[in-house]
Amino acid sequence: MTRSTHPALSVCVYCGAREGAKPSYMAAATDLGQLIAHEGWQLVYGAGDVGLMGAVARSAQAAGGDTFGVIPVHLLDMEVGKRDLTSFIVTETMHERKKVMFMNAHAIVVLPGGAGSLDEFFEVLTWKQIGLHDKPIFLLSIDDYWAPLESLIDHVIAEGFAAADLKTSFQTISSIGELKAALRALRA
């Protein structure tokens, strides 16, 4: 199945398949889904109906948004594949999932999440670092969730394993309002 519409902006959201420890994470996921729908943008995400993934998709759908989900066959049950999306794609592998999500997005937003979200973030960050794309990457650091990750990146730079400009390859945002302004600026 391919995308049936061509929205002004497709936002790829990487986030947890769990709710996390703080209610603010779920609230941010819900607010992000509503924002994407209200702005007439398209949500691109991992097609799960659990955790933050499910919250962002359900809120986008409830607000009338276009939803594009991609899930590998081996996660259909575990992540409760959300088949009522505008577009629902099942891939053979995780690598295909990430590629399809990335190729159908103009920008990447990383909500709180676990190892999978970190994997997705580092993959698109590495691709950007080596010049394979120039899509904006936003870390949505609700309640400073991503502060330890930023410290790790500072450490990597300080220890000589990356140039200082690695930090310019992504932008840390602390609120949905700040993210809204940054995403709107992409279309200006």
Side-chain angles (χ1 to χ4, degrees):
M1 183 182 294
T2 58
R3 188 171 51 193
S4 58
T5 60
H6 299 284
L9 186 70
S10 289
V11 181
C12 179
V13 176
Y14 299 142
C15 59
R18 296 179 182 211
E19 293 183 12
K22 295 180 181 176
S24 56
Y25 303 149
M26 283 293 282
T30 299
D31 291 347
L32 179 56
Q34 290 171 354
L35 167 66
I36 290 169
H38 289 155
E39 293 292 322
W41 301 332
Q42 179 184 54
L43 168 66
V44 176
Y45 87 114
D49 199 15
V50 293
L52 299 188
M53 275 199 298
V56 72
R58 287 188 303 274
S59 66
Q61 286 178 307
D66 184 14
T67 52
F68 184 96
V70 186
I71 193 166
V73 68
H74 67 277
L75 289 180
L76 277 168
D77 292 335
M78 184 185 302
E79 291 185 352
V80 189
K82 191 159 178 39
R83 298 172 189 270
D84 63 341
L85 302 168
T86 309
S87 297
F88 180 77
I89 296 173
V90 179
T91 62
E92 290 291 319
T93 68
M94 288 292 286
H95 293 291
E96 288 175 296
R97 175 198 219 182
K98 292 188 293 182
K99 178 183 177 185
V100 172
M101 289 170 63
F102 177 79
M103 296 301 292
N104 282 280
H106 298 110
I108 293 102
V109 174
V110 188
L111 279 167
S117 301
L118 286 165
D119 172 57
E120 292 163 331
F121 168 70
F122 277 114
E123 184 167 64
V124 296
L125 179 64
T126 300
W127 291 348
K128 191 167 187 174
Q129 182 184 24
I130 62 175
L132 296 179
H133 77 88
D134 195 30
K135 296 179 183 185
I137 303 168
F138 300 99
L139 283 177
L140 186 51
S141 192
I142 301 302
D143 290 337
D144 289 324
Y145 181 81
W146 293 118
L149 175 61
E150 291 181 282
S151 293
L152 174 61
I153 291 171
D154 287 338
H155 176 71
V156 167
I157 292 167
E159 292 297 318
F161 290 102
D165 66 355
L166 180 63
K167 290 197 73 165
T168 65
S169 296
F170 65 93
Q171 183 178 353
T172 303
I173 303 277
S174 60
S175 71
I176 294 293
E178 198 179 342
L179 179 63
K180 178 180 180 178
L183 290 171
R184 279 184 169 177
L186 298 177
R187 295 289 109 189

